[in-house]
Amino acid sequence: MAGHFEAVPGGGAAVALDEVEISILRSLAVQLLELLGPGDEPAQGEDPLAQLFAPGPSEPPADPALARLFPDAYGNGDDELREYSSEFRRFTENDLRDRKREDGMALVRTLDAVTAAGENGAVLKLTPEDCRHWLGALNDLRLTIGTRLEVTDEDEGGELYRLPDSDPRKPMVMAYLWLGALQETLVETLMP
């Protein structure tokens, strides 16, 4: 089980992680949460229902990683498609951002629970709901790191896989590949 997910009775999954892996996952998740920014809590005395229906941003984020996490709904087209994307973003980005924050926080809470138990490593047992959050967080982490590494769909040559150890991108590449393996085994575990 070390390093990959396996099914557990009841529909969840389990994975054995050592202390270093837990620390790396937690650090990456916290960095993702910082990138996403804080949630918008209603000001004291403000109507929470009004906040729920407040419009979000209409322009794509300037940060390429955030733009990858929150892409235009209708691609880069003509003015009419940009207008549709803008309207779609205005009504959906806040909810999507909240969900991504929730996924990241669930990952951090799971890891913190293991760390609080004082173990140097552990077998994490995830409920089906935890698995959903972990899949979302692992996907967001890979998209973010992939954007920072400038990985594209056409990246067939695999030059990133052959980086020398002295290349400063090497740790990010290793994290990207490791997160991909975790994500893949979690998906396979949850497949019927």
Side-chain angles (χ1 to χ4, degrees), residues 1 35 47 64 95 121 127 134 184:
M1 176 187 307
L35 179 66
D47 180 10
D95 288 340
T127 66
W134 270 66
E184 182 178 353

Side-chain angles (χ1 to χ4, degrees), residues 82 86 162 172:
R82 277 195 292 279
S86 176
R162 295 186 297 274
M172 275 201 330

Side-chain angles (χ1 to χ4, degrees), residues 57-60 72-90:
S58 58
E59 295 297 319
D72 278 335
Y74 300 102
N76 297 330
D78 59 23
D79 288 342
E80 186 177 16
L81 288 179
R82 277 195 292 279
E83 184 179 328
Y84 293 153
S85 287
S86 176
E87 283 299 298
F88 186 81
R89 178 180 303 282
R90 214 162 57 85

Side-chain angles (χ1 to χ4, degrees), residues 115-189:
T115 305
E119 301 175 26
N120 289 339
V123 174
L124 291 173
K125 293 183 180 169
L126 305 178
T127 66
E129 184 177 344
D130 291 337
C131 290
R132 184 189 65 78
H133 289 300
W134 270 66
L135 277 174
L138 289 172
N139 187 60
D140 292 342
L141 286 169
R142 287 195 75 239
L143 287 172
T144 302
I145 293 171
T147 301
R148 297 288 191 239
L149 290 170
E150 298 178 351
V151 173
T152 64
D153 291 338
E154 295 82 32
D155 231 349
E156 297 294 329
E159 68 184 55
L160 287 176
Y161 306 118
R162 295 186 297 274
L163 290 176
D165 290 343
S166 60
D167 191 303
R169 297 173 295 168
K170 185 74 172 199
M172 275 201 330
V173 170
M174 298 306 293
Y176 178 77
L177 296 172
W178 177 58
L179 292 169
L182 280 175
Q183 183 180 23
E184 182 178 353
T185 61
L186 182 53
V187 167
E188 288 171 355
T189 299

